[in-house]
Amino acid sequence: MGDPARTDGGVTFLLTNIGELTTNVAVDGDPCGTVRDAAVLVSDGRVVWAGSAHAVPPRPDALVIDAGGRAVVPGFVDSHTHLVFGGDRAEEFAARMAGERYAAGGIRTTVAATRAASDDDLRARLAALVVECRAQGTTTLEIKTGYGLDVATEKRLARLAAEVTDDVTFLGAHVVAPEYADRADDYVSLVTGDMLAAVAPHARWIDVFCEDGAFTARQSRRVLDAGRAAGLGIRVHGNQLGFGDGVRLAIELGAAAVDHCTYLSDDDVAALAASDTVATLLPGVEFSTRQPYPDARRLLDAGVIVALASDCNPGSSFTSSMPLMIALAVREMGMTPAEAVWAATAGGARALRRADVGVVEPGARADLVLLDAPTRVHLAYRLGVPLVHRVWKDGREQGSRNPFRDSRR
Ligand code: NIG
Ligand code: FE
């Protein structure tokens, strides 16, 4: 028998008896726009109304869903992932846990496995990862290419990513392709020429790994300029493994976001604070590489816009869990739970320059996460516990519900 409270995209429903609703519509010094004893009305996949459960506009056709006093947050916006790839690097991880250092060169191992994989294999792997993301409350995903590094494979990866998201990023400049060892400038010419022409129709963004062992500032600028000329928005991987030019370049070129930001000078922080470039922090990387975490407190205190993302990839951070990112940011990076939840929702939306997600207000996509907890604080407080109870994306309920739902409150 079907579940009478299940909703598809067209259904009008009222999610009510919400103990704590995070809207991210800032009010009176509360950027999270918190409403207690709240309700959300959804129709045709969009939020129609959100506010106090005592002030719901009459809507007799709405299916009523009782949240049982639980908390609701906007669907997580994971603005940085590398979800299309072949193989894994569990051995590299094990070696690292035995003392090896993380280095950008490991990317080439995944490039070989990805080139060898069929479209069907890559598609099946990607689909499984997307299911994994949704089950953990992620309703918006950015996905990068970058494990092809030749024209045909980069195009393939972009096409596959575009099957599951509108936010596809061309990362042909992830590392220099093995065929171009010692000819990095020639590889950049390929990336900015034939590769860009093949991938741009499937992508919204361009990205470059501006770091020792990947691309210099001069090469990175060539890549980003070419992407912009092709109509793509700009994002940058920078300042991950050491101090460098990534942040400065990102701001100069008006990037939507610069991601990692682990090693920042005072000038980098000041320049970020004076810009609308989002600093996207990826604590899964530091957790999985045993590097120092980025100092989120320093950035927030300076007035920088901060996002949190998973960086899900087989090398530096093979996790898709945004709740884990929130917990790490709170426990290791000096963020409050409210700041971390904002960064994982509204912050990610800012990093993708999207106004339709990361917020619960009329007109926004009905992307909602019902937590098996009374407040969002529990996302950090109950580290590692699966608290995502039900998920709606565009008003459509995702996957199966948390099996613990009836045994715990
Ligand atoms: O974001 N920094 C560069 N790219 C990925 C790592 C990819 C890999 O190791 O395969 C990152 O951490
Ligand atoms: Fe990355």
Side-chain angles (χ1 to χ4, degrees), residues 307-369:
L308 288 169
S310 72
D311 197 7
C312 185
N313 76 78
S316 64
S317 179
F318 199 5
T319 173
S320 53
S321 173
M322 290 296 279
L324 177 62
M325 299 311 119
I326 290 169
L328 290 174
V330 170
R331 288 165 176 241
E332 303 290 341
M333 290 155 53
M335 293 178 87
T336 67
E339 287 167 339
V341 171
W342 190 95
T345 52
R350 294 282 285 271
L352 293 175
R353 298 279 192 258
R354 287 183 59 167
D356 59 333
V357 296
V359 67
V360 182
E361 66 179 349
R365 288 176 189 275
D367 294 353
L368 302 167
V369 177

Side-chain angles (χ1 to χ4, degrees), residues 40 83 247 279 386:
V40 181
L83 288 191
V247 165

Side-chain angles (χ1 to χ4, degrees), residues 126 137 163 305 354 377 385:
L126 172 61
E163 292 176 7
I305 307 164
R354 287 183 59 167
V377 173
V385 177

Side-chain angles (χ1 to χ4, degrees), residues 80 82 237 260 311:
H80 184 141
H82 307 246
H237 275 75
H260 286 287
D311 197 7

Side-chain angles (χ1 to χ4, degrees), residues 204-224:
R204 181 174 176 223
W205 303 99
I206 188 152
D207 193 346
V208 61
F209 189 13
C210 180
E211 195 87 37
D212 279 354
F215 296 91
T216 65
R218 184 184 55 79
Q219 291 163 343
S220 299
R221 179 189 295 274
R222 280 182 65 196
V223 170
L224 299 174

Side-chain angles (χ1 to χ4, degrees), residues 84-90 92 105-123 125 146-150 153 156-157 160 178-179 314-315:
V84 207
F85 59 86
D88 69 42
R89 285 165 35 212
E92 180 188 307
I107 292 168
R108 293 192 189 90
T109 307
T110 301
V111 169
T114 304
R115 288 178 177 177
S118 69
D119 275 14
D120 284 350
D121 288 346
L122 292 172
R123 186 180 282 115
R125 184 71 168 292
Y147 290 120
L149 310 188
D150 60 36
T153 315
R156 224 151 59 85
L157 302 186
L160 292 166
E179 298 77 11

